[in-house]
Amino acid sequence: MLKKEQIEKYLNKCLTTGADFAEIFLEESINTKINLFDKQIQNVNTEMIKGIGIRISLKEKVVYGSTNDLNNIDSLIERLITNFKDKPLNIKIKLPRKTIYKDNIITVYRNKKV
């Protein structure tokens, strides 16, 4: 859904606020509904759901936003980072060449070992 470079860009943008935590949730699923009436198939609907959720926090302050408009991720982050005014620590996130996703979640901690 998103390329590694895009994810790095979004995480780095989240951390420009001085936040100490940034997290991206990716969702991509396909649902199929089959309507039966009197043992006969009446209708079959398939829908694809795509979306992204972003959480940014600094100590106890946490903001979260989500969208299913993947062309609108930058403006979502812009709205979220207005909640933080701290000085950024000059950190650049660089994901490993081989990225492993766990349950479609990529998490980056700053100043913490995971």
Side-chain angles (χ1 to χ4, degrees), residues 42-80:
Q42 298 294 311
N43 196 353
V44 177
N45 291 319
T46 301
E47 66 178 348
M48 178 177 277
I49 300 170
K50 289 184 178 184
I52 186 167
I54 298 173
R55 183 185 338 264
I56 307 170
S57 68
L58 174 62
K59 298 178 184 165
E60 289 82 38
K61 184 176 188 173
V62 179
V63 295
Y64 177 82
S66 64
T67 183
N68 60 356
D69 181 359
L70 299 182
N71 296 318
N72 203 19
I73 298 170
D74 283 309
S75 63
L76 171 63
I77 292 173
E78 287 296 329
R79 286 193 310 272
L80 293 174

Side-chain angles (χ1 to χ4, degrees), residues 31-47:
N31 298 326
T32 302
K33 294 179 184 179
I34 301 172
N35 295 325
L36 298 173
F37 181 76
D38 198 22
K39 298 182 184 178
Q40 298 289 321
I41 295 176
Q42 298 294 311
N43 196 353
V44 177
N45 291 319
T46 301
E47 66 178 348

